[in-house]
PDB file of all heavy atoms in Angstrom:
ATOM      1  N   ILE A  88      26.338  12.254 -10.499  1.00 98.00           N
ATOM      2  CA  ILE A  88      26.100  12.996 -11.733  1.00 98.00           C
ATOM      3  C   ILE A  88      25.292  14.245 -11.371  1.00 98.00           C
ATOM      4  O   ILE A  88      24.252  14.153 -10.715  1.00 98.00           O
ATOM      5  CB  ILE A  88      25.395  12.131 -12.812  1.00 98.00           C
ATOM      6  CG1 ILE A  88      25.066  12.981 -14.037  1.00 98.00           C
ATOM      7  CG2 ILE A  88      24.152  11.420 -12.274  1.00 98.00           C
ATOM      8  CD1 ILE A  88      24.586  12.186 -15.251  1.00 98.00           C
ATOM      9  N   ALA A  89      25.809  15.400 -11.762  1.00 98.00           N
ATOM     10  CA  ALA A  89      25.106  16.657 -11.481  1.00 98.00           C
ATOM     11  C   ALA A  89      23.985  16.836 -12.497  1.00 98.00           C
ATOM     12  O   ALA A  89      24.169  16.565 -13.684  1.00 98.00           O
ATOM     13  CB  ALA A  89      26.078  17.826 -11.540  1.00 98.00           C
ATOM     14  N   ALA A  90      22.814  17.245 -12.024  1.00 98.00           N
ATOM     15  CA  ALA A  90      21.681  17.416 -12.929  1.00 98.00           C
ATOM     16  C   ALA A  90      20.671  18.374 -12.322  1.00 98.00           C
ATOM     17  O   ALA A  90      20.545  18.475 -11.106  1.00 98.00           O
ATOM     18  CB  ALA A  90      21.005  16.059 -13.173  1.00 98.00           C
ATOM     19  N   ASP A  91      19.948  19.061 -13.205  1.00 99.00           N
ATOM     20  CA  ASP A  91      18.877  19.951 -12.771  1.00 99.00           C
ATOM     21  C   ASP A  91      17.545  19.317 -13.148  1.00 99.00           C
ATOM     22  O   ASP A  91      17.215  19.175 -14.325  1.00 99.00           O
ATOM     23  CB  ASP A  91      19.028  21.315 -13.449  1.00 99.00           C
ATOM     24  CG  ASP A  91      17.954  22.294 -12.978  1.00 99.00           C
ATOM     25  OD1 ASP A  91      17.047  21.884 -12.214  1.00 99.00           O
ATOM     26  OD2 ASP A  91      18.027  23.474 -13.377  1.00 99.00           O
ATOM     27  N   SER A  96      15.448  17.163 -20.084  1.00 98.00           N
ATOM     28  CA  SER A  96      16.293  16.035 -20.475  1.00 98.00           C
ATOM     29  C   SER A  96      17.119  15.450 -19.325  1.00 98.00           C
ATOM     30  O   SER A  96      17.464  14.268 -19.368  1.00 98.00           O
ATOM     31  CB  SER A  96      17.236  16.469 -21.609  1.00 98.00           C
ATOM     32  OG  SER A  96      17.916  17.641 -21.229  1.00 98.00           O
ATOM     33  N   ASP A  97      17.430  16.259 -18.311  1.00 98.00           N
ATOM     34  CA  ASP A  97      18.304  15.758 -17.241  1.00 98.00           C
ATOM     35  C   ASP A  97      17.761  14.526 -16.497  1.00 98.00           C
ATOM     36  O   ASP A  97      18.534  13.605 -16.197  1.00 98.00           O
ATOM     37  CB  ASP A  97      18.635  16.870 -16.232  1.00 98.00           C
ATOM     38  CG  ASP A  97      19.790  17.741 -16.715  1.00 98.00           C
ATOM     39  OD1 ASP A  97      20.159  17.635 -17.907  1.00 98.00           O
ATOM     40  OD2 ASP A  97      20.324  18.528 -15.905  1.00 98.00           O
ATOM     41  N   PRO A  98      16.463  14.464 -16.173  1.00 98.00           N
ATOM     42  CA  PRO A  98      15.997  13.287 -15.431  1.00 98.00           C
ATOM     43  C   PRO A  98      16.310  11.967 -16.144  1.00 98.00           C
ATOM     44  O   PRO A  98      16.823  11.018 -15.525  1.00 98.00           O
ATOM     45  CB  PRO A  98      14.485  13.515 -15.334  1.00 98.00           C
ATOM     46  CG  PRO A  98      14.324  15.001 -15.388  1.00 98.00           C
ATOM     47  CD  PRO A  98      15.402  15.482 -16.319  1.00 98.00           C
ATOM     48  N   GLU A  99      16.060  11.919 -17.450  1.00 98.00           N
ATOM     49  CA  GLU A  99      16.343  10.692 -18.200  1.00 98.00           C
ATOM     50  C   GLU A  99      17.836  10.445 -18.337  1.00 98.00           C
ATOM     51  O   GLU A  99      18.293   9.299 -18.287  1.00 98.00           O
ATOM     52  CB  GLU A  99      15.651  10.745 -19.563  1.00 98.00           C
ATOM     53  CG  GLU A  99      14.168  10.443 -19.397  1.00 98.00           C
ATOM     54  CD  GLU A  99      13.299  10.914 -20.548  1.00 98.00           C
ATOM     55  OE1 GLU A  99      13.832  11.249 -21.618  1.00 98.00           O
ATOM     56  OE2 GLU A  99      12.065  10.950 -20.346  1.00 98.00           O
ATOM     57  N   LYS A 100      18.582  11.548 -18.473  1.00 98.00           N
ATOM     58  CA  LYS A 100      20.037  11.441 -18.574  1.00 98.00           C
ATOM     59  C   LYS A 100      20.612  10.784 -17.303  1.00 98.00           C
ATOM     60  O   LYS A 100      21.518   9.948 -17.371  1.00 98.00           O
ATOM     61  CB  LYS A 100      20.618  12.867 -18.745  1.00 98.00           C
ATOM     62  CG  LYS A 100      22.028  12.934 -19.248  1.00 98.00           C
ATOM     63  CD  LYS A 100      22.506  14.385 -19.325  1.00 98.00           C
ATOM     64  CE  LYS A 100      22.883  14.920 -17.951  1.00 98.00           C
ATOM     65  NZ  LYS A 100      23.200  16.360 -17.919  1.00 98.00           N
ATOM     66  N   VAL A 101      20.054  11.139 -16.166  1.00 99.00           N
ATOM     67  CA  VAL A 101      20.526  10.593 -14.889  1.00 99.00           C
ATOM     68  C   VAL A 101      20.255   9.086 -14.810  1.00 99.00           C
ATOM     69  O   VAL A 101      21.122   8.301 -14.411  1.00 99.00           O
ATOM     70  CB  VAL A 101      19.854  11.334 -13.699  1.00 99.00           C
ATOM     71  CG1 VAL A 101      20.083  10.593 -12.385  1.00 99.00           C
ATOM     72  CG2 VAL A 101      20.380  12.758 -13.608  1.00 99.00           C
ATOM     73  N   VAL A 102      19.062   8.675 -15.211  1.00 99.00           N
ATOM     74  CA  VAL A 102      18.736   7.241 -15.175  1.00 99.00           C
ATOM     75  C   VAL A 102      19.649   6.479 -16.143  1.00 99.00           C
ATOM     76  O   VAL A 102      20.188   5.421 -15.791  1.00 99.00           O
ATOM     77  CB  VAL A 102      17.242   6.984 -15.488  1.00 99.00           C
ATOM     78  CG1 VAL A 102      16.958   5.488 -15.571  1.00 99.00           C
ATOM     79  CG2 VAL A 102      16.361   7.627 -14.426  1.00 99.00           C
ATOM     80  N   ASP A 103      19.846   7.034 -17.349  1.00 98.00           N
ATOM     81  CA  ASP A 103      20.745   6.386 -18.315  1.00 98.00           C
ATOM     82  C   ASP A 103      22.144   6.205 -17.739  1.00 98.00           C
ATOM     83  O   ASP A 103      22.770   5.155 -17.909  1.00 98.00           O
ATOM     84  CB  ASP A 103      20.838   7.214 -19.607  1.00 98.00           C
ATOM     85  CG  ASP A 103      19.625   6.972 -20.499  1.00 98.00           C
ATOM     86  OD1 ASP A 103      19.015   5.885 -20.393  1.00 98.00           O
ATOM     87  OD2 ASP A 103      19.290   7.874 -21.300  1.00 98.00           O
ATOM     88  N   PHE A 104      22.627   7.253 -17.057  1.00 99.00           N
ATOM     89  CA  PHE A 104      23.956   7.206 -16.442  1.00 99.00           C
ATOM     90  C   PHE A 104      24.036   6.056 -15.438  1.00 99.00           C
ATOM     91  O   PHE A 104      24.970   5.246 -15.457  1.00 99.00           O
ATOM     92  CB  PHE A 104      24.234   8.551 -15.756  1.00 99.00           C
ATOM     93  CG  PHE A 104      25.523   8.609 -14.973  1.00 99.00           C
ATOM     94  CD1 PHE A 104      26.724   8.931 -15.596  1.00 99.00           C
ATOM     95  CD2 PHE A 104      25.534   8.364 -13.598  1.00 99.00           C
ATOM     96  CE1 PHE A 104      27.907   8.993 -14.862  1.00 99.00           C
ATOM     97  CE2 PHE A 104      26.713   8.424 -12.865  1.00 99.00           C
ATOM     98  CZ  PHE A 104      27.901   8.736 -13.494  1.00 99.00           C
ATOM     99  N   ALA A 105      23.020   5.948 -14.573  1.00 99.00           N
ATOM    100  CA  ALA A 105      23.012   4.895 -13.548  1.00 99.00           C
ATOM    101  C   ALA A 105      22.923   3.510 -14.193  1.00 99.00           C
ATOM    102  O   ALA A 105      23.639   2.579 -13.790  1.00 99.00           O
ATOM    103  CB  ALA A 105      21.848   5.108 -12.575  1.00 99.00           C
ATOM    104  N   LYS A 152      11.636   5.690 -17.262  1.00 98.00           N
ATOM    105  CA  LYS A 152      12.925   5.334 -17.860  1.00 98.00           C
ATOM    106  C   LYS A 152      13.549   4.117 -17.159  1.00 98.00           C
ATOM    107  O   LYS A 152      14.230   3.314 -17.777  1.00 98.00           O
ATOM    108  CB  LYS A 152      13.872   6.545 -17.747  1.00 98.00           C
ATOM    109  CG  LYS A 152      15.129   6.449 -18.551  1.00 98.00           C
ATOM    110  CD  LYS A 152      14.864   6.797 -19.994  1.00 98.00           C
ATOM    111  CE  LYS A 152      16.095   6.554 -20.842  1.00 98.00           C
ATOM    112  NZ  LYS A 152      15.790   6.643 -22.277  1.00 98.00           N
TER     113      LYS A 152
END
Side-chain angles (χ1 to χ4, degrees):
I88 175 170
D91 182 355
S96 52
D97 277 13
E99 282 160 14
K100 197 182 78 187
V101 167
V102 175
D103 280 334
F104 175 86
K152 192 80 186 169

